[in-house]
Amino acid sequence: MVGMALAIDDAEPFSFAMPSTGRVALLMIDWQRDFLDEGGFGHCLGNDVAPLRTALKPAAAVLAAARAAGVTVVHTLEAHTADLADCPPAKLTRCPAIGTVLDAARGRVLVAGEPGNAIVDEVAPVAGELIVHKPGKGAFFNTRLHDELQRLGVTHLLLTGVTTEVCVQTSMREANDRGYECLVVADATESYFPQLKRAALEMIVAQGGIVGWAAPSADVIAALHGYTAPPPPPPAAAPLPPVTTAATTAAAASGRRTLLAVSGTLQDGFELRANLDAPGCAALLVGSAVVRGVRAFLDIKEEGAREHAGASPARVNPANVVTGNMAHANLYAVYLVHESVVLKALLGEPRYLAIAPDAVRLDLRAARTSHAVVALLHAAARELDASAPPPSEVSICTVLSTYMAPSFVPLPAALPGEPSMTSFPEGLAAFAGVALSEARTGGIAEAALRTAEATALDADACRAARELYASGPLTAAGAAAAGEPWRPRLAALWDADQLARYAAAAGYGGGAFGAELASLVAVAPPPPYKETSPREKETAAALAAAASAAAAAAVSIGGLAAAATLRSSSLAASSRQLLVAFGAGWLLRELWARTDAVREARAMKRRSVAEAAISAALAAGTTLDGEAQVRCSRGVGHRAFGVSRADTALLLIDMQVDFLHRAGRLGRHYDASRHAALAKATAQVERLLAAARKAGLTIAHSRSHRYGADVRADLLRGPQPGAPALGDDADGAPQHFGAVDVGYDLLPSLRALPGEVVVDKWTFGAFASTDLEAQLRARGVRKVLLAGILTNVCVFATAVQACDRFFRVCLVEDAAGAFKPDWHEKAVELLSGPQTAPGHAAAAVGLYFGETATVAAVEEALERL
């Protein structure tokens, strides 16, 4: 039976309608005791929990209606592991109460399994409903929620929960970026601060529902009463099992693993990717890596070649030829594979391809080498030679070409800002003149390749390079004797114990690939998101265990004393003895609670000392621990945001011609007030960029090919119809950059310089659909100065995503702009909104997402670096 359509006619900003082919799910966001109970976390910060509880009744009514209609229900909890391994320093800085005991009856704040972390009874889950623990504000980042919803075929979401401006709005924006149509139930969500709830709801429905819809619970319930959920989708068809025996499957599951760098049709999305899987042991994508010393070509399979298919075009293969020239580089995909894959991966590939364990160099300092790859290889290198510094290059098993055929043609370099680097999917798309999404279609590029000219190979240079790499040093001492940098060979096969050690040391258990790798090697719990020595980890674990044991002892000692009294006294013993015994237990428990209070008082004292040091640095105009302090523009007390060349980036969002120029595709439709607002922000961004470049900060730019509801991937491929005519720059250079459309490109005054990061996104936030996080991590960035447009859309989304990815964020508020002043102001207020009630003692530590500052304050601080 096909389900009936779900329709809410009076939703804002217009009717919300789901077709009968869609599926809806209800998200119940963070209805946990930590936030809703008197004595809970929110209440202990001075907040009135009564408003949150008023939203419980409509939320419970929506939940009951959804259950009756057979709608999928998902509950989320903001929850951390007991050792706070998934709660990084940036979050603890904003909220040091996490993990502490504010009320003994509720246990440790925001820790999974504690009484306060339970969902309140009014909306408690029932059997079969999904419960998702999230370490950040959003329900999608670093959780399995998206995979579960996709498995169920969900297309539309209804949201209730707390608080509106933080976890509910963040989750809704994440869902919007992932293609879900979302509606928030306006009276089934609440905030401690009514003005922030109003601002959040207005931002959600602004600009024609740019994030989604809103409607009252009565309308949602009425729609659910007339809705029948369709039957669940059939399970995805399982692939045909390979022909194996029980012995080979067992061997695969228990065998050793290694890292393998591949390029071309062995990558995800191409036809030979399955060759990387072993029976019972699927390959795991770890990340990307820049491999130097190779030059990338395309093999056109001309007539007479083994794979030539006559009139039916064959697939295209890459050929990465060893040249020995470190200026030649290609972006490889690095997989963790079973040892048997090293022997079978090239089945069906051309005979000129081989897997070499020590022929080329993997560049661990390159911006496009994923942080995940760097972390894992650094951990392995430390075990190989603990006294050596982290290597900048390593050797691993890599797929390479053994010779140069006349049919090879150069692979175009198509990575933004990387003129000397190639990547197979991007290069193939550029060569064939198709979208990147089309490059994985078999036969798409043959017509272009068959007309290409052949090139030549310097065989002597190739041979010399192989000889040099084959004799490369294994240890740091050998490297020093040879007068070369240490380049350890890490092409070894790792057993389960080795891999577990490397994964644990590398910090797996969180992040893009952490869940899969942690499951593979049984790493639990995940280590902290900071550099921590083994001794520090052991000490922290011991302290946590001791604290847990002491707390348990304090709780139970009254009962033990009572039992001892009963055993040692006669049946006629007075009840007074029992009271004395239980009183002793109560006293010990109270002493333990006061010890907690003493620790918290000491922590507050340390924070006061730190704040005093920051205030002194601000007053004196000096640096503090190598950081210049940016005076923040909002919040309580002497708030400051430390910046340094080593760990701070300036991130500029979507400063593109189409959005900002009067001739741009969107700009040509703006009225004078919109142009004035954006022009004012643009001038401030230009000042900010000049100061950041002068100070030597990392600079990153995002460009968006999401134009409202449309995704314009064609704009990345060169000039397209409707491009604005801007004329020439003052020096006569045409106003376009690289191979992108002139309107899609950044404003001429803000174009990226060589070496600066440029990412292209189709989501509102700059992290969700790009490798921005990996590029910033590779440069050592932990803190982000944020500016750009629009404040209430892409800037806000990027700030929230950066926060959930454990970067510290400071919005330079006068270098950001929106179409309307109140939209800008609401976004700034939400980003820097407090967790604490006005006047609360802990007000100086409680911002939700980040700090705010002005361009002048940033310039003043950067002058001190």
Side-chain angles (χ1 to χ4, degrees):
M1 174 181 175
V2 178
M4 296 170 58
L6 183 72
I8 302 173
D9 292 335
D10 293 331
E12 291 187 73
F14 50 84
S15 62
F16 176 84
M18 185 185 74
S20 59
T21 55
R23 294 176 187 273
V24 67
L26 172 65
L27 297 191
M28 305 289 288
I29 305 293
D30 296 2
W31 291 104
Q32 56 202 80
R33 295 183 60 197
D34 277 329
F35 301 145
L36 279 88
D37 278 5
E38 290 193 8
F41 173 43
H43 185 251
C44 288
L45 293 178
N47 296 310
D48 182 6
V49 299
L52 271 61
R53 288 206 154 262
T54 62
L56 264 178
K57 184 175 180 180
V62 171
L63 176 60
R67 286 169 174 166
V71 167
T72 296
V73 176
V74 181
H75 304 262
T76 74
L77 289 162
E78 185 171 349
H80 296 285
T81 56
D83 61 355
L84 302 185
D86 58 353
C87 185
K91 186 171 183 179
L92 285 172
T93 297
R94 294 194 309 277
C95 186
I98 294 174
T100 64
V101 178
L102 300 179
D103 181 348
R106 288 167 178 80
R108 299 171 65 204
V109 169
L110 297 186
V111 171
E114 295 285 347
N117 202 237
I119 295 173
V120 296
D121 293 342
E122 291 89 335
V123 290
V126 298
E129 293 177 348
L130 182 64
I131 300 175
V132 174
H133 286 192
K134 58 185 184 68
K137 306 303 182 189
F140 288 84
F141 175 68
N142 217 10
T143 74
R144 69 187 194 280
L145 177 57
H146 181 55
D147 290 341
E148 293 288 345
L149 295 178
Q150 290 293 289
R151 180 180 63 81
L152 295 169
V154 171
T155 57
H156 291 61
L157 296 175
L158 305 174
L159 292 92
T160 77
V162 296
T163 59
T164 316
E165 74 277 14
V166 185
C167 296
V168 174
Q169 182 184 203
T170 302
S171 299
M172 194 166 180
R173 287 176 179 270
E174 288 183 337
N176 178 281
D177 269 352
R178 287 163 174 79
Y180 298 96
E181 299 283 21
C182 304
L183 179 143
V184 61
V185 186
D187 56 336
T189 179
E190 242 333 316
S191 169
Y192 300 122
F193 309 103
Q195 74 278 12
L196 296 186
K197 175 186 175 179
R198 288 193 299 271
L201 292 179
E202 289 175 15
M203 284 178 62
I204 286 169
V205 302
Q207 295 177 244
I210 195 164
V211 178
W213 287 260
S217 59
D219 290 353
V220 175
I221 292 169
L224 288 171
H225 284 162
Y227 172 74
T228 303
L240 292 176
V243 180
T244 60
T245 65
T248 59
T249 301
S254 61
R256 296 169 297 176
R257 295 165 175 83
T258 191
L259 291 179
L260 177 63
V262 305
S263 181
T265 52
L266 287 168
Q267 292 178 248
D268 280 1
F270 290 96
E271 59 268 37
L272 293 180
R273 164 60 185 80
N275 283 3
L276 297 183
D277 296 330
C281 182
L284 173 69
L285 177 63
V286 180
S288 60
V290 173
V291 173
R292 299 201 179 275
V294 296
R295 191 175 180 192
F297 297 87
L298 294 169
D299 177 9
I300 65 171
K301 311 290 188 308
E302 82 285 8
E303 189 172 357
R306 181 171 67 92
E307 290 189 306
H308 181 66
S312 176
R315 65 174 180 271
V316 177
N317 271 56
N320 289 287
V321 179
V322 178
T323 67
N325 186 343
M326 294 301 106
H328 297 158
N330 184 65
L331 191 66
Y332 275 71
V334 177
Y335 289 84
L336 186 67
V337 301
H338 187 266
E339 59 183 319
S340 63
V341 163
V342 180
L343 299 177
K344 77 148 197 164
L346 298 184
L347 292 176
E349 290 276 18
R351 285 172 290 183
Y352 62 75
L353 293 184
I355 293 177
D358 196 27
V360 290
R361 304 183 185 186
L362 193 156
D363 187 349
L364 298 185
R365 292 185 178 177
R368 291 187 181 272
T369 298
S370 297
H371 177 69
V373 174
V374 175
L376 195 61
L377 288 171
H378 274 179
R382 280 197 297 271
E383 188 162 303
L384 180 66
D385 195 334
S387 63
S392 59
E393 298 174 338
V394 300
S395 296
I396 67 172
C397 290
T398 307
V399 177
L400 299 165
S401 176
T402 59
Y403 76 105
M404 173 68 191
S407 60
F408 290 0
V409 296
L411 181 72
L415 295 174
E418 300 281 0
S420 63
M421 192 184 306
T422 52
S423 175
F424 178 67
E426 290 83 354
L428 180 61
F431 194 94
V434 299
L436 181 59
S437 60
E438 298 176 82
R440 291 171 170 80
T441 304
I444 196 69
E446 274 75 4
L449 287 167
R450 290 184 189 283
T451 62
E453 296 181 358
T455 59
L457 168 70
D458 186 342
D460 290 337
C462 181
R463 187 179 308 109
R466 291 197 192 102
E467 292 174 357
L468 172 65
Y469 300 150
S471 60
L474 177 63
T475 65
E484 294 184 4
W486 183 45
R487 181 174 54 83
R489 294 173 184 157
L490 296 176
L493 298 171
W494 299 339
D495 62 28
D497 290 339
Q498 287 174 299
L499 185 55
R501 289 198 302 274
Y502 303 159
Y508 280 94
F513 309 99
E516 296 90 341
L517 196 57
S519 173
L520 177 66
V521 300
V523 179
Y529 281 87
K530 59 182 179 180
E531 289 295 327
T532 309
S533 69
R535 177 60 58 85
E536 288 173 328
K537 291 178 182 178
E538 293 173 6
T539 302
L543 288 173
S548 178
V555 171
S556 62
I557 198 164
L560 293 175
T565 301
L566 283 172
R567 284 196 298 271
S568 61
S569 58
S570 67
L571 293 177
S574 69
S575 60
R576 184 176 59 186
Q577 291 173 292
L578 290 176
L579 291 174
V580 169
F582 278 106
W586 174 87
L587 179 60
L588 287 171
R589 181 174 178 177
E590 185 67 16
L591 288 173
W592 176 258
R594 291 190 180 186
T595 302
D596 259 354
V598 169
R599 281 197 297 270
E600 177 60 20
R602 289 173 178 170
M604 290 291 289
K605 183 177 180 180
R606 287 195 298 271
R607 289 196 291 273
S608 297
V609 171
E611 289 162 13
I614 290 172
S615 298
L618 286 171
T622 59
T623 60
L624 179 63
D625 296 329
E627 292 185 338
Q629 301 298 315
V630 177
R631 190 185 302 275
C632 295
S633 52
R634 306 199 183 204
V636 178
H638 299 289
R639 304 195 67 85
F641 186 83
V643 295
S644 74
R645 294 185 184 91
D647 68 357
T648 306
L650 171 63
L651 175 55
L652 302 182
I653 303 300
D654 301 356
M655 301 300 293
Q656 294 164 252
V657 170
D658 274 344
F659 302 153
L660 295 165
H661 198 281
R662 290 183 180 274
R665 287 180 175 84
L666 301 184
R668 66 186 63 156
H669 302 293
Y670 299 163
D671 59 23
S673 64
R674 289 189 174 187
H675 275 297
L678 297 184
K680 182 179 179 181
T682 299
Q684 293 294 85
V685 171
E686 290 170 349
R687 279 180 57 189
L688 182 63
L689 178 59
R693 283 173 171 164
K694 180 180 177 181
L697 299 189
T698 294
I699 308 295
H701 310 257
S702 78
R703 299 183 300 200
S704 177
H705 51 281
R706 179 169 183 166
Y707 284 53
D710 297 325
V711 175
R712 292 290 307 276
D714 58 319
L715 299 176
L716 280 73
R717 299 201 297 269
Q720 301 294 323
L726 305 185
D728 292 339
D729 289 327
D731 59 4
Q735 293 205 11
H736 61 83
F737 175 70
V740 303
D741 179 272
V742 61
Y744 178 77
D745 199 10
L746 303 172
L747 284 174
S749 62
L750 296 171
R751 289 206 180 120
L753 298 180
E756 295 180 350
V757 176
V758 179
V759 295
D760 296 289
K761 62 185 180 69
W762 58 265
T763 52
F764 289 138
F767 287 90
S769 58
T770 74
D771 65 347
L772 177 59
E773 179 181 4
Q775 295 211 52
L776 294 182
R777 298 287 187 206
R779 289 165 167 79
V781 172
R782 297 185 300 112
K783 291 176 287 188
V784 173
L785 292 168
L786 184 63
I789 56 113
L790 296 166
T791 321
N792 59 313
V793 186
C794 295
V795 174
F796 188 97
T798 300
V800 172
Q801 290 173 5
C803 175
D804 267 358
R805 284 161 176 78
F806 314 133
F807 292 95
R808 288 196 63 196
V809 179
C810 179
L811 172 68
V812 188
E813 58 177 296
D814 54 343
F819 290 147
K820 295 182 179 180
D822 60 325
W823 289 353
H824 171 81
E825 180 59 30
K826 285 183 174 71
V828 175
E829 183 181 14
L830 291 177
L831 282 172
S832 60
Q835 298 185 51
T836 55
H840 191 270
V845 298
L847 302 191
Y848 273 127
F849 295 116
E851 307 286 355
T852 57
T854 63
V855 172
V858 175
E859 289 175 324
E860 179 186 356
L862 294 181
E863 285 292 333
R864 298 195 290 271
L865 288 179

